[in-house]
Amino acid sequence: MLAVSWPDWGTTMATTSGQTIEHSEPTQGVTELDLARTQVSGSWKAKPAQLAIAVARWGANYIPLAIFKQIPRQLIIDVTNSCNLRCPVCPVTFAMTRPRGLMSFELFRLIIDDFIAEERKPEIFFNFSGEPTLNKHLAEMITYASKNGHSTFVSTNATRLGPELAERMIDAGLSRIALCLDGFSKSAHEGYRINSDFDAVKANIEMFLATRRRLGAKNPITVLQTLLTSYSEVQIGDILKWAKECGFDRVRFKTFSLGSHTSTEMRAANSHFLPESRAFRRHADARESILCSIPRSQTVVFWNGDLGLCCIDYDQVIQLPNVKKTGFLSAFRSDEAARARRCGFAKQFKICQSCSYSNADKLGFIVDLRSVCNPPLLRI
């Protein structure tokens, strides 16, 4: 039996019995996310804090644009903004208004070719607002990015992950994959992943790991991703035990968000997904990040070639140049795009004010199964 104790979220990392647990957001890789945080409330004590926020954001306007023209660490490719599931509070389900589509391989190749002469090559994330395996060119895209020196990452709901696609993705040189299973029972997983079949997804995941073993491949690093909900929080021990037996490298427990795009009625209707334990909730207090480094560390290319500000702007609220006309780097380094990223850094856009990502107190934690003793023991 796996022993689990509630995490101390004041600790950045804990190591026990050779097992490392990181309290971080690995998929986005933002190490400077919490540049400055302050308590915001209506009391008199909040006035100095509010003044500090205003001054910091005003001062950000004078940061040279050249700082925001540096090649990002992550390039998020919107291979599609369609999904075969209908998760209740996912914006793809109900809030997205931009046209649906699939990125062509020709456009993707145009983007990657822009980095051939560059020494610094961003990691390519093949997931944004939709299910990446819906794009038939996914494996081909991974191959092209890998051969040109890019690390690659895919996050998938694993509903369409058949044996042929699994082998093609592994052979393509995929660096890292997150396979999503939101609980260890049909009620836990299917309660949120509407249209998903727990048994089928579990079998697909086991097949993918077995395929990697059969091929003798060291790649990709495999991450089991589970949302921390009221259903899954009591199944952490079972999830870790199964993940270890299957051969996963890591397990990422991701805190659940009701979203900044949801109505009061929707939040109330879906509040039953929130974990009972506040230690597993995303927002514990009213702290607000003064600045946001996400626009400096990542950028998005929508399926039609338009640049995006960051991973939060799922509906393309911020309009930026298209990469088809001048190439990715030229569009990315344009003054227009750099100014937008500077505004995002200073959290001056409306979408920044309600962002549940940059203001999160905790985004989850990772268990590194490669260094776990047998039987594994998690004590944080």
Side-chain angles (χ1 to χ4, degrees), residues 63-74:
I63 298 175
L65 282 182
I67 298 296
F68 299 94
K69 295 183 180 183
Q70 297 173 359
I71 292 177
R73 291 198 296 271
Q74 292 92 30

Side-chain angles (χ1 to χ4, degrees), residues 242-375:
W242 174 73
K244 176 67 174 177
E245 292 171 350
C246 287
F248 270 102
D249 298 304
R250 303 171 187 166
V251 179
R252 179 193 175 205
F253 292 99
K254 181 181 178 182
T255 51
F256 176 76
S257 172
L258 287 170
S260 55
H261 47 270
T262 47
S263 65
T264 302
E265 292 75 19
M266 288 186 65
R267 294 172 71 85
N270 292 286
S271 61
H272 64 93
F273 287 112
L274 291 170
E276 293 283 332
S277 172
R278 293 193 64 83
F280 290 145
R281 295 195 180 189
R282 178 166 292 195
H283 300 283
D285 53 39
R287 292 183 184 275
E288 179 180 354
S289 297
I290 297 175
L291 302 172
C292 179
S293 65
I294 295 175
R296 281 201 61 220
S297 63
Q298 68 172 219
T299 197
V300 176
V301 181
F302 292 105
W303 66 265
N304 65 352
D306 289 340
L307 279 178
L309 178 67
C310 67
C311 61
I312 297 302
D313 191 11
Y314 63 86
D315 209 26
Q316 201 175 349
V317 173
I318 312 303
Q319 298 293 314
L320 295 175
N322 191 290
V323 305
K324 291 180 181 179
K325 298 176 182 178
T326 60
F328 172 83
L329 286 176
S330 180
F332 177 82
R333 288 170 171 162
S334 67
D335 286 353
E336 178 186 356
R339 286 194 189 98
R341 286 191 292 276
R342 185 168 64 184
C343 288
F345 176 78
K347 301 184 71 170
Q348 294 173 348
F349 292 116
K350 185 177 179 180
I351 60 171
C352 304
Q353 307 312 310
S354 58
C355 176
S356 66
Y357 184 78
S358 66
N359 287 328
D361 302 307
K362 42 187 176 285
L363 293 163
F365 61 98
I366 309 169
V367 180
D368 188 346
L369 296 176
R370 295 172 298 184
S371 59
V372 171
C373 59
N374 192 18

Side-chain angles (χ1 to χ4, degrees), residues 9-86:
W9 294 107
T11 305
T12 303
M13 181 179 291
T15 304
T16 174
S17 303
Q19 173 174 308
T20 304
I21 303 97
E22 300 176 41
H23 301 169
S24 63
E25 171 65 40
T27 58
Q28 305 301 343
V30 181
T31 57
E32 302 171 6
L33 176 65
D34 195 2
L35 293 179
R37 295 176 68 87
T38 185
Q39 188 77 21
V40 178
S41 69
S43 70
W44 64 271
K45 293 181 180 179
K47 291 181 180 179
Q50 292 168 347
L51 178 60
I53 292 174
V55 170
R57 291 177 179 170
W58 172 81
N61 292 318
Y62 295 93
I63 298 175
L65 282 182
I67 298 296
F68 299 94
K69 295 183 180 183
Q70 297 173 359
I71 292 177
R73 291 198 296 271
Q74 292 92 30
L75 175 53
I76 300 174
I77 300 295
D78 185 34
V79 290
T80 183
N81 61 337
S82 296
C83 187
N84 56 335
L85 302 187
R86 293 295 179 266

Side-chain angles (χ1 to χ4, degrees), residues 168-184:
R168 288 181 65 202
M169 290 170 69
I170 294 168
D171 286 342
L174 181 63
S175 305
R176 186 160 50 100
I177 188 169
L179 301 161
C180 300
L181 191 71
D182 290 335
F184 206 61

